[in-house]
Amino acid sequence: MSSRLALLLAALSLSVAARAEQNIDPLNWLGRIVNAAQRLNYSGVFVYQSGEHTETSRITHVVDNSGEREKLEVLDGSPREVVRNNDEVRCFLPEQRVVIVERQPQRKSFPARLPSSLGNVTESYKIRKGDVGRVADRESQLLVLEPKDGYRYGHMLWADVESGLLLKARMVNEKNETIEQFYFTAVQIGGTIPKDALKPKLAPKSADWNVHNVTITDANPGDTTWTFRNEIPGFRQSAGVKRSLRRDRPEAMHLVFSDGLAAMSVFIEPLGEERAAQGETYSKGAISIYKRAHGDYMVTALGEVPPRTLKKLADGMEPPRK
């Protein structure tokens, strides 16, 4: 076989492979995005934008016999570093001389924005493929997730055609205006990543750092007997734990509701002197927050959903009957 013919056949096979990837149906594309974020080695620099706020970070992700390990370095503003070893997460804050240690079995940091289970996504979103373009100098397939109602935002996802890794994610409102977005400016997918790349640069170098271990315990069935009269279509309770938010306050009940993509957290804690923010809805970037008092409890609901979604959920809550 001549070298010219061999090159022609190689180019043809690559073209056929690329078309085959693009012919995958949209839901299977989402599965590729999930698997790539969990199972591939990758490193890169990405930008997060929300309103006028912009932040640049570097992520390094390695999968080996010990499981998943990851380091996230914030490159702008105050130095911060998050190091994950499977479910254990350590957040280093050198300016405060604090290390926060927590177990987070469920995470949604870029590019792992999608949940492991996608079973409920089609109930709340219409999924379609868009055009093939380029992100971070890589060919990418656009996937559009359109909400079926006004209780959630829309999403646009650009996945690497070759590997399935999420290269860009944009959240949009009902006017198709951007609420927030993540995108790689440079990324390496696959290959060997040196072990030193996962070592924290901001680890304590003296004994005057405080280590804050966030305590999380599974909630007993009797602890979650709050009634939710206003069910939000598509959202189901996916978790219920007790969480220590601050050392000087009792544990708070933390309930999570998800539609398979968006999530809302509800924190329930005894009502102290904090009575000023009752019934107030406000936003921090893409995250909406709503607070109100229920009897002897303060309820705080937050999530990347429209404010009216949080308000409807929290206003329909009733504490356990004594």
Side-chain angles (χ1 to χ4, degrees):
M1 181 184 295
S2 68
S3 59
R4 185 176 179 180
L5 180 58
L7 288 174
L8 181 60
L9 290 175
L12 181 61
S13 64
L14 288 174
S15 176
V16 171
R19 286 198 300 270
E21 295 292 355
Q22 294 167 20
N23 287 332
I24 298 174
D25 72 72
L27 191 58
N28 284 335
W29 262 107
L30 297 185
R32 291 192 73 209
I33 292 174
V34 172
N35 290 333
Q38 295 175 347
R39 300 178 182 178
L40 295 181
N41 288 355
Y42 51 85
S43 62
V45 174
F46 68 86
V47 175
Y48 168 70
Q49 291 181 330
S50 179
E52 297 181 355
H53 176 71
T54 301
E55 187 173 87
T56 307
S57 301
R58 179 186 294 114
I59 189 166
T60 305
H61 181 268
V62 173
V63 180
D64 54 25
N65 292 334
S66 64
E68 274 190 273
R69 292 178 293 150
E70 182 177 276
K71 184 173 76 169
L72 179 68
E73 306 166 75
V74 179
L75 304 180
D76 302 327
S78 301
R80 284 164 287 156
E81 198 170 56
V82 180
V83 177
R84 182 172 71 91
N85 187 352
N86 293 315
D87 290 347
E88 184 186 81
V89 177
R90 292 177 176 265
C91 180
F92 298 91
L93 305 173
E95 291 187 351
Q96 293 80 24
R97 293 186 176 275
V98 170
V99 181
I100 300 173
V101 183
E102 184 175 3
R103 290 202 170 272
Q104 296 181 348
Q106 298 178 345
R107 68 188 184 103
K108 289 188 67 175
S109 60
F110 183 80
R113 294 286 290 170
L114 298 183
S116 297
S117 175
L118 297 167
N120 299 332
V121 172
T122 55
E123 180 181 338
S124 303
Y125 300 88
K126 297 177 182 178
I127 309 171
R128 61 178 175 85
K129 290 195 295 185
D131 296 332
V132 174
R134 293 190 71 78
V135 177
D137 200 29
R138 298 185 68 94
E139 191 173 30
S140 63
Q141 171 66 58
L142 170 61
L143 299 164
V144 181
L145 287 80
E146 299 174 345
K148 294 182 178 180
D149 55 42
Y151 290 115
R152 64 211 87 230
Y153 293 129
H155 298 266
M156 302 173 70
L157 308 175
W158 285 262
D160 180 45
V161 169
E162 181 181 350
S163 68
L165 187 70
L166 186 63
L167 300 177
K168 182 176 180 178
R170 178 182 296 166
M171 184 186 298
V172 297
N173 61 18
E174 67 279 0
K175 298 179 181 179
N176 208 35
E177 298 169 334
T178 299
I179 300 171
E180 71 169 10
Q181 66 176 343
F182 299 80
Y183 58 90
F184 276 113
T185 57
V187 62
Q188 172 191 332
I189 304 174
T192 302
I193 295 177
K195 292 182 179 180
D196 290 347
L198 293 168
K199 290 183 178 179
K201 297 178 181 177
L202 305 178
K205 296 179 174 61
S206 60
D208 60 344
W209 282 53
N210 293 318
V211 178
H212 182 197
N213 287 286
V214 179
T215 304
I216 299 177
T217 56
D218 291 332
N220 296 321
D223 295 328
T224 56
T225 54
W226 283 68
T227 301
F228 290 83
R229 292 185 290 103
N230 297 338
E231 293 187 0
I232 310 299
F235 282 90
R236 298 177 178 85
Q237 184 177 329
S238 60
V241 298
K242 287 184 176 180
R243 181 185 294 267
S244 175
L245 300 178
R246 284 170 37 182
R247 294 181 180 181
D248 58 341
R249 298 176 69 166
E251 288 184 320
M253 181 67 63
H254 179 196
L255 306 177
V256 180
F257 298 83
S258 175
D259 67 357
L261 185 59
M264 296 183 287
S265 285
V266 178
F267 295 92
I268 305 169
E269 56 186 324
L271 184 63
E273 298 180 358
E274 281 189 61
R275 296 180 177 269
Q278 297 178 34
E280 179 183 355
T281 305
Y282 57 99
S283 298
K284 283 189 175 182
I287 298 177
S288 300
I289 303 169
Y290 179 69
K291 288 188 175 185
R292 64 160 297 176
H294 280 280
D296 297 330
Y297 298 91
M298 173 63 76
V299 172
T300 303
L302 59 90
E304 291 183 330
V305 294
R308 75 185 193 96
T309 305
L310 294 177
K311 188 175 187 303
K312 180 175 181 178
L313 179 70
D315 284 351
M317 292 175 58
E318 294 181 351
R321 295 182 180 179
K322 298 180 179 179

